[in-house]
Amino acid sequence: MMKLRSIASLLILLSMLLSSCQSQKTSLTAMSHQKKYCQPTIRLDYDSSYLPIPDVQSVLQSDTSLTNRFSNHDLLVANAAGMLPLLREFTRLKTISSESADRERFVVGQHITDRLWLASMQVSGTAAELECEAERANRLAAYLQQIDSKRIQQLTLLSVVVGALTTVVTAFIRADTPNKTVTIGGGMATALLAGKAAISSKRTIHLVDDRNLLTDIWDQHQQSRVYPPFVWKMLMERSFSYGGQHSISFTTRQRWVNYTLTGNTAREEQLYFGTEGDYGADNLMTRVAMLNQLQASVRLFYQDLQSLKLNLSKQF
């Protein structure tokens, strides 16, 4: 009687675990499918009159009024912020001693402050969007890892139950041949379950990102459709990188190639730098790493703005 109760209990537990395994499916969350999960809620239109000057070095070489007051680094930052014409006008007005010139200089100084503030907002906005995308990918990766962990736990418990059930059943069978059959079958089932637990499920989740901030860095476009003008100019200007030989955008891409995407395939390249794809947990963590590297580079632009601000305060 006790043996029958043991068998019944094991069968009930087995059916519950099997039911749990069958019902445990990956649910695609709303955050993975939202095309504009981290995007700005409004379209940002930048004044074309304050865009960076493409050939700024030729302008600086012909205007000593600026180079005598500011370092080349600060002038390049000012150009990226679209305020180089304002600086030229400000320095010109400083040479004029009159009340009207003083009033004009005050107005120009306010415009310069506004440009600095806007550049700072572009940096913080881009960094926030990168952080948001990294957090989204990290949460989705944790979701997939949690499901895989539960799957391994369930399969391990199943293998234990099957092994115990096999032992109990063989105790009721007196005939030699059926006994061996049950024993072999139970052993094979236990081994199969243990093997499935040891192998990754390769579960994926579909992620949509129409505004993929990694794409322009990977493709090395001269113009960007997603980055604000100041941030993109800073990323593309070679003078802002260590050594000045390559842009921050290029060196970031090379770090991805050398340390993050080692052995990547064409399919993975399309996955990371396209607009959507099926990501596994490892793919999502790779995406998190690239977004965080890029975010760190963007946040460092605050130091460049601080240098310019400190030197501007001496001129006001």
Side-chain angles (χ1 to χ4, degrees), residues 185-209:
M188 291 178 63
T190 303
L192 179 62
L193 290 169
K196 289 186 68 176
I199 300 173
S200 174
S201 66
K202 300 188 183 298
R203 198 181 294 267
T204 62
I205 193 167
H206 194 75
L207 178 68
V208 180
D209 184 10

Side-chain angles (χ1 to χ4, degrees), residues 50-54 56 74-84 233:
Y50 290 105
L51 293 178
I53 300 171
V56 66
D74 286 342
L75 290 174
L76 290 176
V77 175
N79 179 56
M83 54 187 281
L84 204 58
K233 185 63 176 178

